[in-house]
Amino acid sequence: MSISGSTSPATADEATQDPLDLAVLEGLRNRGLQAGQRLEFIPFDPASKRSEARFVQGDQVARVLKGAVPVLAELTGNTRAVEDAEQLAGQGMRVLAVAKGFGDELKLVGLLGLADPPRPDSPSLIERLQQLGVRILMVTGDSAPTAQAVARQLGLGERVGSREALESAEALMQRDAFAGLYPEDKFRLVQTLQGAGHVVGMTGDGVNDAPALKQAQVGIAVESATDVAKAAASLVLTTPGLSGIVAAVEEGRRIYQRMLSYTLNKIVKTLEIGLFLGLGLLVFGVFVTTPKLVLLLFFTNDLVTMSLASDRVGFSKEPDRWDIRKLMGAALVLAVGWLVFSFSAFWVGREVLHLNLPQLQTLVFLLLVFDSQATVYIVRERSFFWRSRPSSWLLVGSLFDLGLVVALAGLGWLMTPIPLNMILGLLVAVLAYMFLLDGVKVWLFRRLNLR
């Protein structure tokens, strides 16, 4: 392709031109050619898909257009250009056409094939996200052949859709990529998926991506994005490429696991302690423990509960969703399991060991502390509790709590003392029951699909 122009000095303000225009001007200078004096410049319009400049050439005003091949092919009547462009697009190139002329007499002077190959790590990145259950759709304003070639290189597939498929979420999910989209189409695509109940993440870098980034539940601006895109996004990558997305997904799911453990732990303890204290008064006719010991119980529980925020956890292989009914159902089963044990222990203490009421209240305090500790370790792991090692902070918090309450109960500080062998016997009984209740939890979580 060759581009010729007037030999008069260029007076255009090159600082306002895009990099492609500057590259063309540099190519002209290298060939000993110069562009004419620019009179007018019409920036690229996504609706018309072309930009235009008017130059003085001799005693006439020349028009130079750059834009989408089908648009300029129609303006110039050059139908072969479309076929040539499709061949270049099939290689993954973004193809632009350049036309020149005077008045309405325009001639297609050449095609610009711009190669913008994917990053080498892109296919493996996409494969990793797909393994994590993330459905990936590629959206672009380029032609369908270009989009199909790039999608094939990325391992996404070859099902390329157009703007018409944006009306239905079902049609959207049957495509791997979308071509020929306007900026507003990206926003509409996000809305369509959200309307079907999907949680949408959107990645972009330009001003035109900002509305879609803002609309998506997770808007992700790349490291080289414009300030407008970064302001609209909820997550900004600080390293080149998109590898940070995988780290964000994995860390987000770890946070979910910690939140799930905290929520289950809190619900189980609230149900168990509330029901046990209330029903204990109704069934046995006495306060099963004292207000002072309940207050001390809350302090010992909170120390370990806070440690869950730094616990060592994994992440699920599929997207997570909150299901309050399942959470409440699982927590209620575990709370009832502990209630059965608590009432049994209280009955044994009163009827078998013949403890007086103050000693029984100490026993109940220790019982609630011990089973609260056991609950933390049961709910923090979706499988059997011994399958993963807790964090150091969690272990230290548990050992400190257990040592403190055993010392207080054995020495009779803040409560009536009970024999050390009775305290240790209760601890062993809680540990044994913990194994039984953990097996129930594993069966329950699998049945409820709690991951």
Side-chain angles (χ1 to χ4, degrees):
M1 179 192 73
S2 63
I3 301 177
S4 61
S6 169
T7 57
S8 58
T11 59
D13 182 9
E14 296 180 5
T16 63
Q17 295 175 300
D18 64 34
L20 178 59
D21 294 330
L22 296 177
V24 171
L25 290 173
E26 183 65 25
L28 290 173
R29 296 191 188 99
N30 293 338
R31 298 186 183 189
L33 302 172
Q34 290 183 323
Q37 180 183 4
R38 191 177 75 180
L39 300 177
E40 182 184 10
F41 176 69
I42 303 174
F44 179 81
D45 182 0
S48 63
K49 292 195 172 183
R50 71 173 191 259
S51 60
E52 180 175 346
R54 298 176 185 269
F55 290 86
V56 173
Q57 188 171 32
D59 58 352
Q60 293 182 292
V61 176
R63 297 173 63 194
V64 178
L65 290 79
K66 179 189 71 178
V69 176
V71 174
L72 296 192
E74 182 178 355
L75 289 175
T76 60
N78 189 330
T79 58
R80 181 181 174 183
V82 177
E83 299 177 2
D84 294 339
E86 288 181 352
Q87 293 181 2
L88 293 173
Q91 302 173 30
M93 292 186 180
R94 180 186 181 190
V95 185
L96 298 176
V98 179
K100 177 185 174 184
F102 302 92
D104 293 332
E105 298 294 327
L106 297 173
K107 179 181 179 180
L108 194 71
V109 297
L111 301 176
L112 296 173
L114 307 176
D116 186 15
R119 291 174 57 91
D121 61 343
S122 294
S124 60
L125 168 70
I126 290 174
E127 182 181 7
R128 178 59 180 150
L129 287 172
Q130 289 173 335
Q131 291 173 350
L132 292 172
V134 179
R135 180 75 165 86
I136 300 175
L137 298 174
M138 186 184 78
V139 294
T140 178
D142 292 336
S143 65
T146 301
Q148 188 175 53
V150 174
R152 188 188 307 117
Q153 295 174 25
L154 294 173
L156 283 175
E158 300 185 9
R159 300 175 299 175
V160 178
S162 60
R163 302 181 67 215
E164 289 71 22
L166 301 180
E167 303 297 334
S168 166
E170 183 179 354
L172 277 174
M173 299 305 287
Q174 294 176 355
R175 303 291 189 273
D176 302 309
F178 291 88
L181 299 192
Y182 295 128
E184 60 268 24
D185 292 330
K186 299 178 183 179
F187 178 82
R188 190 154 55 98
L189 182 148
V190 173
Q191 281 190 319
T192 301
L193 290 173
Q194 289 174 330
H198 296 284
V199 177
V200 183
M202 169 70 187
T203 304
D205 63 353
V207 174
N208 291 334
D209 296 322
L213 291 172
K214 188 70 174 178
Q215 177 65 26
Q217 282 97 335
V218 184
I220 305 172
V222 299
E223 184 257 352
S224 59
T226 62
D227 291 340
V228 175
K230 290 180 178 179
S234 54
L235 175 66
V236 178
L237 303 180
T238 58
T239 56
L242 300 175
S243 58
I245 296 179
V246 174
V249 170
E250 293 177 350
E251 188 58 33
R253 293 185 183 181
R254 289 190 180 96
I255 293 173
Y256 170 84
Q257 292 298 320
R258 294 190 181 101
M259 293 176 63
L260 180 61
S261 297
Y262 178 89
T263 304
L264 281 168
N265 175 66
K266 201 69 175 178
I267 296 174
V268 171
K269 288 180 179 178
T270 300
L271 290 174
E272 180 209 354
I273 295 174
L275 291 173
F276 183 51
L277 296 181
L279 293 176
L281 177 61
L282 295 175
V283 174
F284 299 109
V286 296
F287 290 105
V288 294
T289 193
T290 66
K292 180 173 64 176
L293 292 180
V294 171
L295 182 62
L296 183 59
L297 170 67
F298 290 153
F299 278 110
T300 56
N301 280 348
D302 288 344
L303 180 63
V304 175
T305 300
M306 289 187 295
S307 302
L308 285 172
S310 62
D311 190 22
R312 183 182 290 104
V313 295
F315 53 87
S316 60
K317 301 302 181 183
E318 298 178 11
D320 299 305
R321 283 181 179 269
W322 287 100
D323 192 322
I324 301 302
R325 285 191 293 184
K326 289 183 178 179
L327 285 177
M328 288 299 299
L332 181 60
V333 171
L334 294 177
V336 169
W338 282 121
L339 277 174
V340 171
F341 181 82
S342 300
F343 278 111
S344 300
F346 186 89
W347 181 85
V348 169
R350 190 174 73 166
E351 302 298 332
V352 178
L353 301 178
H354 304 293
L355 299 178
N356 57 38
L357 181 59
Q359 290 176 318
L360 277 174
Q361 290 172 334
T362 299
L363 182 74
V364 168
F365 166 73
L366 290 172
L367 168 67
L368 294 177
V369 171
F370 293 163
D371 70 39
S372 293
Q373 294 285 331
T375 299
V376 170
Y377 290 92
I378 288 176
V379 301
R380 65 169 295 276
E381 173 60 60
R382 309 299 163 249
S383 182
F384 294 102
F385 73 88
W386 62 81
R387 288 291 180 85
S388 63
R389 186 169 68 87
S391 67
S392 299
W393 283 110
L394 183 57
L395 290 173
V396 169
S398 292
L399 291 175
F400 176 81
D401 269 1
L402 293 176
L404 176 64
V405 298
V406 168
L408 291 176
L411 297 174
W413 293 343
L414 303 177
M415 64 193 74
T416 301
I418 59 176
L420 181 60
N421 62 342
M422 189 177 298
I423 297 174
L424 297 179
L426 177 62
L427 180 59
V428 171
V430 170
L431 288 175
Y433 192 77
M434 175 183 174
F435 279 86
L436 175 62
L437 197 58
D438 189 57
V440 174
K441 175 215 67 179
V442 172
W443 172 83
L444 183 64
F445 280 17
R446 288 174 181 173
R447 188 171 182 83
L448 296 177
N449 195 29
L450 281 176
R451 299 187 301 271

